[in-house]
Amino acid sequence: MSAFDCNSYKIMPQRLDRLAALLDGLAPEVTLAEIGPGPVDHGNDPSRPPGLLLVLLCAGSLTLRRADAAAQVRAPALLVLRSDLPCVLAEITERDHERVISLRARLTGPGSPLFLDEFSEPRIVSLDDDEPALRLAVDMLKAELDAPRCGHAALLSRAGDILFIGLLRHLVANPGPHGSGLFSGLADPRIARALVAMHQRPDLNWSLERLSQEAGMSRTAFTSTFREVMKRTPGKYLTAIRLSIARRSVELGKGLKEAARAAGYRNPSALSRALARARQH
């Protein structure tokens, strides 16, 4: 037998990547955030671009207040807060800068509105025994901030990216108590295949038959399960993806013709009608 025998190797089936298309649609930019001493009054700046504030609590505890509710957060933990929803972290002292690391995840892609819908309430992720990528990112950030070395800015940027991906992995594995929404859909292997297909190719002429085939389900079972998990029909979810893409294209200065093509509408008139219907709702 030759030194390299192709027959001795098995080609592994390609695994479904539930996050690749989502990350492409979010285009996250994760950077360190400066938080000074005093109470952190978060979410009161309407000019801030859409995204998330990620607060790593490495030691001790903090109080998170929102409206009339308060929660005690104990380390090690990651707090995930929408940038446009107000909340207050109890007063931060000079000493706390050794135990609190804050990052901002700015979401520049068209998938941001659908994604941010999942964070109408703050999320608290315990890091005691969790996703390895989260622990790796936390350890990298702590070590680099304690003792900066050459390539400091680049390392912090990549650690922030790893943290964000680790957070998404955690949310897919632990979608929450309500059992519905985007992360619950991605946690279901059948629904995930249809979601990934729509996010990868929103411009295709997706029918219920084609989507149910992607999911490996009958049309009736797929429609019922999708509605139960996602709290909307497949058609309405696809429309939401397409409108987000179209709006982002227009914001970037592209004309309606280009926006319609990118979002999968037949022509600018069809896109205009879809935008008008969305404004009515």
Side-chain angles (χ1 to χ4, degrees):
M1 184 177 72
S2 63
F4 182 81
D5 184 357
C6 291
N7 292 326
S8 64
Y9 291 86
K10 293 183 179 179
I11 299 176
M12 300 299 292
Q14 186 175 9
R15 294 183 61 185
L16 175 70
D17 190 330
R18 308 180 195 203
L19 296 181
L22 180 61
L23 285 166
D24 287 343
L26 294 176
E29 298 174 357
V30 184
T31 57
L32 281 180
E34 291 292 334
I35 290 185
V40 179
D41 196 357
H42 170 69
N44 290 325
D45 184 358
S47 65
R48 191 177 298 282
L52 298 172
L53 176 66
L54 309 176
V55 181
L56 281 169
L57 182 60
C58 303
S61 63
L62 281 178
T63 301
L64 172 66
R65 297 191 181 95
R66 183 162 182 258
D68 296 328
Q72 192 77 5
V73 184
R74 299 190 181 280
L78 173 65
L79 285 72
V80 187
L81 314 168
R82 263 179 62 161
S83 62
D84 58 339
L85 295 182
C87 67
V88 175
L89 291 177
E91 186 157 333
I92 305 294
T93 67
E94 291 289 351
R95 289 180 56 198
D96 291 326
H97 285 276
E98 299 177 2
R99 63 189 183 96
V100 178
I101 303 172
S102 301
L103 305 98
R104 293 197 185 279
R106 180 171 176 260
L107 307 177
T108 63
S112 304
L114 287 171
F115 177 77
L116 290 174
D117 283 346
E118 302 295 315
F119 297 92
S120 58
E121 297 288 337
R123 295 197 182 225
I124 302 172
V125 178
S126 172
L127 299 177
D128 277 325
D129 181 20
D130 211 304
E131 168 60 44
L134 276 177
R135 294 298 313 172
L136 171 65
V138 172
D139 292 342
M140 290 173 66
L141 287 165
K142 288 170 61 178
E144 186 62 23
L145 291 172
D146 288 342
R149 299 175 62 186
C150 296
H152 175 75
L155 187 144
L156 291 179
S157 174
R158 283 157 179 77
D161 292 338
I162 294 171
L163 180 78
F164 190 78
I165 293 171
L167 171 64
L168 296 188
R169 287 180 174 179
H170 166 84
L171 293 173
V172 170
N174 305 274
H178 304 299
S180 63
L182 176 60
F183 297 117
S184 293
L186 290 172
D188 185 317
R190 303 165 303 171
I191 300 302
R193 286 193 288 268
L195 289 173
V196 169
M198 284 190 277
H199 278 278
Q200 285 179 331
R201 294 298 308 274
D203 56 321
L204 288 186
N205 183 25
W206 292 108
S207 62
L208 278 176
E209 287 79 9
R210 292 186 69 178
L211 288 171
S212 61
Q213 288 172 5
E214 288 283 344
M217 305 169 70
S218 71
R219 172 174 164 169
T220 301
F222 170 72
T223 304
S224 174
T225 304
F226 192 99
R227 187 197 293 268
E228 179 181 353
V229 172
M230 299 296 296
K231 298 305 179 187
R232 65 178 86 186
T233 65
K236 287 186 177 179
Y237 187 79
L238 179 60
T239 296
I241 295 175
R242 288 174 169 171
L243 288 177
S244 293
I245 293 172
R247 289 185 180 117
R248 183 59 178 159
S249 296
V250 172
E251 289 171 2
L252 292 174
K254 299 177 181 178
L256 277 180
K257 184 176 180 180
E258 176 61 22
R261 186 199 63 77
Y265 288 93
R266 294 189 304 275
N267 50 55
S269 297
L271 172 57
S272 296
R273 290 193 295 271
L275 290 169
R277 287 193 297 271
R279 284 193 293 268
Q280 293 173 359
H281 293 84

